[in-house]
Amino acid sequence: MTARIGVVTFPGSLDDRDTQRAIRLAGAEPVALWHKDKDLHQVDAVVLPGGFSYGDYLRAGAISRFSPVMETVIEQAKAGLPVLGICNGFQILTEAHLLPGGMLGNDHLHFICRDQKLRVENAETSWTGDYRAGQEIHIPLKNMDGRYVADEYTLDKLEAEGRVVFRYRDFNPNGSLRDIAGITNEAGNVVGLMPHPEHAVEPLIGSGRTDGLPFFTSILKKLVTA
């Protein structure tokens, strides 16, 4: 049976269709989920896509965190449902306290859009099994509020537990502490990152690379062997 991966659309989501396409290319069935609907329609995993949900008013992701769909996502993520938050989705995951820390405005106070080199630090999460630890990849990045911050205790804990999943290489684009580009929860089923893997799944579009496709093949293999 084909794995079903839900993609939530919030008001202001920009990359939901791109994410659905990436899921389809990986061999899974994308399922559109609406932010006002608490029903996840029996999906096997969920992606919170990039964009500017609710216009990023108040704080990026702060309003989306209270959408009806997030009540179910939070409950099921704590029970083991794989959840991936990309850019604005990562911001929502921190606001929902599914991931620690928070996101602030870029330290240079400008929107940034570039092809970003990352190092894979953790290849054992539900979303990174098709990578290898230490691998360097290029993933498009575009954000205004991409600076990951946390107190020293939390940062040390993330490092000690191997929960930093991706780290910026060569250039820190937003001032994120310890060059952190993505993290996971203790169970490894919830992952958030600022760069956009859905824009690196086909050689003819986006970055011209396919370095982002393993996110979606990883979760497919995880679900098949679960």
Side-chain angles (χ1 to χ4, degrees):
M1 188 170 65
T2 303
R4 292 162 44 86
I5 302 178
V7 181
V8 179
T9 298
F10 299 94
S13 293
L14 300 179
D15 301 301
D16 44 348
R17 296 294 182 90
D18 303 73
T19 303
Q20 290 175 25
R21 179 175 178 77
I23 291 167
R24 191 175 295 111
L25 285 170
E29 177 187 351
V31 179
L33 301 176
W34 185 235
H35 71 113
K36 286 188 175 181
D37 189 357
K38 290 185 179 181
D39 187 356
L40 298 185
H41 301 285
Q42 298 180 317
V43 297
D44 302 298
V46 168
V47 180
L48 306 180
F52 300 90
S53 60
Y54 292 92
D56 277 352
Y57 293 119
L58 185 59
R59 282 187 315 276
I63 299 176
S64 296
R65 176 260 179 273
F66 294 102
S67 292
V69 72
M70 286 304 299
E71 294 183 31
T72 311
V73 169
I74 291 169
E75 177 185 348
Q76 294 198 20
K78 290 179 178 178
L81 179 75
V83 178
L84 175 66
I86 302 171
C87 195
N88 191 227
F90 185 12
Q91 295 160 344
I92 295 169
L93 290 176
T94 62
E95 291 288 340
H97 303 297
L98 287 174
L99 292 175
M103 313 301 299
L104 297 179
N106 298 343
D107 59 352
H108 46 74
L109 304 180
H110 295 286
F111 180 86
I112 188 167
C113 181
R114 56 173 279 133
D115 213 11
Q116 179 67 46
K117 183 188 285 188
L118 305 175
R119 184 175 64 221
V120 180
E121 302 284 5
N122 183 340
E124 298 180 3
T125 77
S126 297
W127 299 91
T128 57
D130 273 355
Y131 294 107
R132 66 180 185 276
Q135 182 179 354
E136 293 190 345
I137 60 177
H138 290 78
I139 302 290
L141 174 83
K142 51 179 185 176
N143 64 70
M144 182 70 188
D145 299 292
R147 178 161 51 115
Y148 179 75
V149 297
D151 58 54
E152 287 298 309
Y153 172 82
T154 298
L155 292 170
D156 288 344
K157 192 170 188 287
L158 289 172
E159 301 273 15
E161 295 177 354
R163 290 168 54 196
V164 176
V165 182
F166 297 96
R167 216 181 294 268
Y168 297 117
R169 293 288 288 163
D170 295 347
F171 173 72
N172 186 325
N174 43 40
S176 289
L177 297 181
R178 304 194 189 182
D179 298 330
I180 291 173
I183 61 174
T184 185
N185 65 343
E186 292 181 4
N189 63 303
V190 179
V191 170
L193 79 161
M194 286 310 296
H196 287 259
E198 77 280 10
H199 295 325
V201 295
E202 294 181 280
L204 295 180
I205 61 172
S207 68
R209 298 172 180 266
T210 58
D211 290 1
L213 190 58
F215 275 88
F216 306 100
T217 57
S218 294
I219 187 59
L220 182 56
K221 290 178 182 177
K222 177 72 174 180
L223 293 171
V224 168
T225 58

